[in-house]
Amino acid sequence: MMFDWSSAGWGWMFFGGIFMLIFWCAIIGLIIWGIVQLVRKGQPSSSATKTHYMETLKERYAKGEISKEEFDQMKKDLLS
């Protein structure tokens, strides 16, 4: 009996479609991830910003620009 080649490809076509869908979803996901990383790179993180402000606050206190009470209040505000 001869092999019927016309019906042999349907299963592979189904799996090929699934793999193509997975491939394009991965490509689109990588593009979105890359855009998000580029946008985040331009913005400082909140912990880096707090650290910068704390250093400025300490410098102002060391120079005598603010009192101990003002320093403590501003520190409390920054850390909360």
Side-chain angles (χ1 to χ4, degrees):
M1 184 168 183
M2 296 182 78
F3 184 71
D4 185 12
W5 288 98
S6 63
S7 65
W10 288 106
W12 290 108
M13 190 180 331
F14 175 72
F15 286 115
I18 290 174
F19 289 126
M20 186 61 76
L21 179 66
I22 292 170
F23 171 77
W24 284 111
C25 286
I27 294 295
I28 292 169
L30 284 172
I31 291 170
I32 291 171
W33 177 80
I35 292 171
V36 168
Q37 293 301 316
L38 287 174
V39 170
R40 281 188 185 171
K41 192 174 188 177
Q43 300 174 351
S45 66
S46 63
S47 63
T49 305
K50 285 183 180 180
T51 304
H52 172 70
Y53 290 140
M54 280 301 297
E55 292 300 320
T56 305
L57 186 60
K58 288 176 185 177
E59 287 176 14
R60 289 185 63 198
Y61 179 65
K63 291 178 183 177
E65 295 177 5
I66 58 175
S67 67
K68 174 72 171 155
E69 292 79 22
E70 290 173 319
F71 175 79
D72 290 336
Q73 182 60 41
M74 289 180 186
K75 181 179 174 183
K76 180 181 168 188
D77 290 344
L78 281 175
L79 297 177
S80 61

